[in-house]
Amino acid sequence: MPQWLNNSVFYQVYPQSFCDSNGDGIGDIQGLISKLDYIKELGCNAIWLNPVYDSTFMDAGYDVRDYYKIAPRYGTNDDAKMLFEEVHKRDMKLLMDLVPGHTSDTNGWFTQSKQPLKNELSNRYIWTDSVWEAPPQYRLQCGITDRDGNYLVNYFSSQPALNYGFYEVTHPNWQLPVNHPDCLRTVEAVKDVMRFWLDMGCDGFRVDMADSLVKNDDDKIATAAIWAGIREMMDKDYPECALVSEWCHPIRAINKGGFHADFYLDHRGNGYSTAFRFYNYETKEQESYFSKEGKGDIMTLVSELNENYPATKDNGYISFFTCNHDNPRMSAWYDELELKINFCTIFTLPGVPFLYYGDEIGMRYMSELTSKEGGFSRTGSRTPMQWNSGKNKGFSTADPDKLYLPVDMSENAPDVESQMKDENSLYQTVKNIIKIRKENPDLCGNGDFEILFAEKNTYPFIFRRGSFVIAVNPSANDAFAPFGYEMKEKVYSIGETVVSNGTIKLKGQSYCLMKI
Ligand code: NOJ
């Protein structure tokens, strides 16, 4: 287990939109290098970088054309090497994005696989054995290649699924078992890709759709077994490198698959969603627990954490995030005070937290934008970083109509430079809470976690992290709870919290991190 994870706070960089160093309107690796000091000063000591591989960009780079080459728009492989070195000089770490479930349909492997004559990559993807064979339960692309067969899609139509076999083989004429030599070769091919970047200096991977490898594998037994094998390689050859899964099932991902951390994703109705992202599309009301409306319920989060945290604590981390490139930014429905309270809570929960670029200044979710590179409703969370009040908010020197996506030019659009100068800004809150977290092992990844007060449809929510207690009342109404501790020191707070006579009282919209 890489020890550095325990004390890490990640910053997610969407490379297209972070910093453009050469004035072509799109972010690049040299731009990111120029902002590493900024990320470090904010307190983040690790980076997750969205895909930077050569791509056709039908899905913003999750459609990889060449796993071994940096997309020219971001720079060269030498730039990537320099990035790893610059990150390490600053005592930071960087995870690349690994996309093992599918490639672009322009990837060289696919070009070879779709040839009508049998060749050594014919089984690199999942093909039926005739173009007339198209069972409706599978998402197949039919009749668009010269090969006599249809191929399975993993996400968008441009993303054919790599072949790791079927756990339950229901159509033996075209489905291979997981131990078929060609399926084992797919695993080896992905390991080769990993070694290539790890040897160059990257510190591990965030793994895209990690649960999607083996098909007809409902309980993910065979998929987890593949990852467990990859973890063996990591332990042996790259023990300081980390694997973080996009899976949202910590018991499977961490305990069975050997991932070091697993994202707690926004799956509608789950604990993370009901706590932070629960907008009722029917009633058009905000029902998140962490909304000032005060209509939420914390119990789904509590029961999921109670089940998953102790079960996985000794093996890996659950990762909370402020947002990512697939979700609307929380600023879409929360105001600045709500964001401060929510982010302080996220950064004092256990696990390894992730901050999405621009969330530290409350960048807007630009819902009015049309889709870019397969972003669709996600596009509004992928706009250029707002560094200052200058041209294109400091993102690029290009003409505004040449930018990857428009910069938010609305009145009061936040920027880094102004928030750095304002001691009451969201930026300062985020920076302060990250600093406190990193200075106190009790608040880090695997520190103790115990829920002290949580009741159905009730505020506040109180939990203990070792010698600290965090009490939070996101609702606009005052809230009370029985409290059997003495507040020895108020370490960080928003709003007003008072402890007396065995009761804690939190004013509406308060957060308190205290020593007990
Ligand atoms: C999850 C990624 O986060 C998302 O952006 C992408 O579109 C899909 N996986 C497909 O790779």
Side-chain angles (χ1 to χ4, degrees):
M1 166 67 77
Q3 290 306 314
W4 57 268
L5 267 181
N6 191 43
N7 190 30
S8 60
V9 175
F10 275 84
Y11 192 85
Q12 183 190 342
V13 172
Y14 188 71
Q16 292 90 316
S17 296
F18 197 55
C19 181
D20 171 18
S21 74
N22 60 0
D24 64 356
I26 189 155
D28 46 50
I29 292 180
Q30 287 299 332
L32 168 54
I33 291 174
S34 73
K35 297 296 183 187
L36 290 176
D37 289 334
Y38 165 77
I39 297 172
K40 183 163 170 121
E41 195 189 331
L42 178 62
C44 295
N45 48 10
I47 292 170
W48 157 27
L49 180 61
N50 282 110
V52 284
Y53 313 102
D54 186 39
S55 168
T56 341
F57 296 109
M58 294 295 287
D59 184 14
Y62 285 94
D63 48 327
V64 178
R65 182 163 55 192
D66 184 347
Y67 284 107
Y68 291 96
K69 183 180 167 198
I70 296 291
R73 73 187 202 182
Y74 300 131
T76 62
N77 285 20
D78 284 342
D79 289 319
K81 188 156 190 264
M82 181 174 168
L83 172 65
F84 304 148
E85 285 163 6
E86 292 295 324
V87 162
H88 295 155
K89 268 188 207 161
R90 291 165 178 79
D91 240 341
M92 296 164 77
K93 305 281 181 183
L94 184 141
L95 302 186
M96 295 182 89
D97 213 312
L98 181 73
V99 191
H102 47 266
T103 67
S104 161
D105 56 6
T106 57
N107 188 294
W109 293 347
F110 190 73
T111 310
Q112 193 174 332
S113 192
K114 73 179 181 186
Q115 298 307 316
L117 293 183
K118 196 158 176 51
N119 64 67
E120 62 176 12
L121 293 186
S122 293
N123 285 333
R124 178 56 50 92
Y125 298 82
I126 301 171
W127 294 85
T128 64
D129 59 348
S130 139
V131 78
W132 312 118
E133 166 87 4
Q137 66 271 36
Y138 296 103
R139 278 189 61 215
L140 296 165
Q141 286 292 299
C142 302
I144 57 171
T145 70
D146 287 339
R147 176 170 170 169
D148 186 10
N150 304 314
Y151 61 88
L152 192 79
V153 157
N154 216 34
Y155 199 68
F156 289 152
S157 296
S158 58
Q159 292 161 311
L162 284 162
N163 196 356
Y164 297 88
F166 286 71
Y167 183 60
E168 275 185 52
V169 175
T170 52
H171 295 69
N173 46 327
W174 57 273
Q175 298 177 346
L176 303 182
V178 283
N179 59 0
H180 187 283
D182 287 341
C183 300
L184 299 177
R185 268 193 277 276
T186 306
V187 177
E188 289 309 315
V190 167
K191 283 172 154 176
D192 287 345
V193 170
M194 295 173 76
R195 284 194 203 98
F196 179 80
W197 295 104
L198 293 167
D199 289 342
M200 195 186 283
C202 98
D203 300 293
F205 299 94
R206 171 270 186 186
V207 179
D208 185 69
M209 291 172 64
D211 62 335
S212 76
L213 305 191
V214 177
K215 308 305 178 200
N216 289 357
D217 182 21
D218 291 351
D219 296 330
K220 306 291 172 191
I221 292 169
T223 299
I226 291 177
W227 288 116
I230 291 178
R231 169 68 186 266
E232 270 178 36
M233 167 184 98
M234 300 287 289
D235 284 349
K236 183 167 159 287
D237 299 332
Y238 308 97
E240 280 305 303
C241 295
L243 288 181
V244 179
S245 51
E246 185 196 28
W247 192 318
C248 199
H249 198 308
I251 293 177
R252 286 180 184 165
I254 297 171
N255 291 0
K256 306 259 166 55
F259 278 94
H260 300 105
D262 181 38
F263 275 109
Y264 202 166
L265 299 171
D266 178 15
H267 287 172
R268 195 163 166 73
N270 77 357
Y272 173 71
S273 149
T274 50
F276 296 105
R277 298 181 157 270
F278 211 37
Y279 178 71
N280 187 326
Y281 288 87
E282 274 159 33
T283 61
K284 307 238 176 301
E285 283 190 28
Q286 185 44 255
E287 294 176 0
S288 311
Y289 186 80
F290 278 88
S291 156
K292 63 173 179 271
E293 301 291 323
K295 293 183 185 142
D297 186 15
I298 196 69
M299 295 318 282
T300 308
L301 180 80
V302 166
S303 66
E304 289 179 2
L305 281 180
N306 278 342
E307 182 188 343
N308 291 293
Y309 185 69
T312 54
K313 177 181 183 307
D314 297 331
N315 300 328
Y317 304 94
I318 293 171
S319 281
F320 281 88
F321 57 98
T322 61
C323 185
N324 66 25
H325 62 291
D326 292 332
N327 294 289
R329 292 186 187 271
M330 288 199 203
S331 59
W333 52 82
Y334 294 142
D335 62 25
E336 193 192 49
L337 180 55
E338 289 174 298
L339 290 176
K340 285 179 175 170
I341 292 170
N342 298 347
F343 292 174
C344 281
T345 308
I346 285 176
F347 289 117
T348 39
L349 279 163
V352 174
F354 282 69
L355 174 70
Y356 186 53
Y357 84 96
D359 274 357
E360 70 274 31
I361 54 169
M363 266 172 59
R364 188 162 71 86
Y365 170 57
M366 294 175 69
S367 60
E368 69 276 19
L369 297 180
T370 52
S371 184
K372 176 85 177 182
E373 296 186 346
F376 302 98
S377 62
R378 310 175 291 185
T379 305
S381 294
R382 300 177 173 187
T383 59
M385 180 69 175
Q386 296 155 208
W387 294 105
N388 55 46
S389 56
K391 182 177 179 187
N392 299 323
K393 297 246 182 312
F395 162 68
S396 167
T397 55
D399 286 344
D401 61 342
K402 297 270 168 0
L403 299 183
Y404 174 74
L405 278 171
V407 176
D408 183 7
M409 284 309 201
S410 56
E411 215 188 325
N412 301 327
D415 68 73
V416 167
E417 202 175 280
S418 353
Q419 291 212 8
M420 276 180 149
K421 288 188 202 135
D422 173 3
E423 60 176 25
N424 295 316
S425 65
L426 178 59
Y427 168 88
Q428 299 293 355
T429 302
V430 170
K431 184 172 172 176
N432 287 333
I433 200 75
I434 292 177
K435 181 164 188 282
I436 296 168
R437 176 187 176 101
K438 289 194 2 242
E439 282 169 0
N440 291 286
D442 279 357
L443 295 174
C444 288
N446 67 6
D448 286 348
F449 172 65
E450 182 196 355
I451 290 168
L452 297 181
F453 183 83
E455 283 182 3
K456 194 160 176 48
N457 297 112
T458 299
Y459 292 77
F461 173 46
I462 309 178
F463 54 96
R464 189 177 64 80
R465 307 278 332 267
S467 56
F468 293 88
V469 162
I470 291 96
V472 57
N473 173 24
S475 98
N477 301 319
D478 296 357
F480 307 82
F483 194 67
Y485 298 93
E486 182 199 341
M487 178 173 0
K488 292 212 180 103
E489 185 195 341
K490 204 180 260 184
V491 180
Y492 194 73
S493 64
I494 297 170
E496 199 185 308
T497 303
V498 179
V499 175
S500 71
N501 302 327
T503 302
I504 185 166
K505 178 178 171 198
L506 289 121
K507 280 257 185 224
Q509 296 199 272
S510 306
Y511 167 94
C512 182
L513 168 65
M514 70 181 89
K515 270 253 175 212
I516 51 164

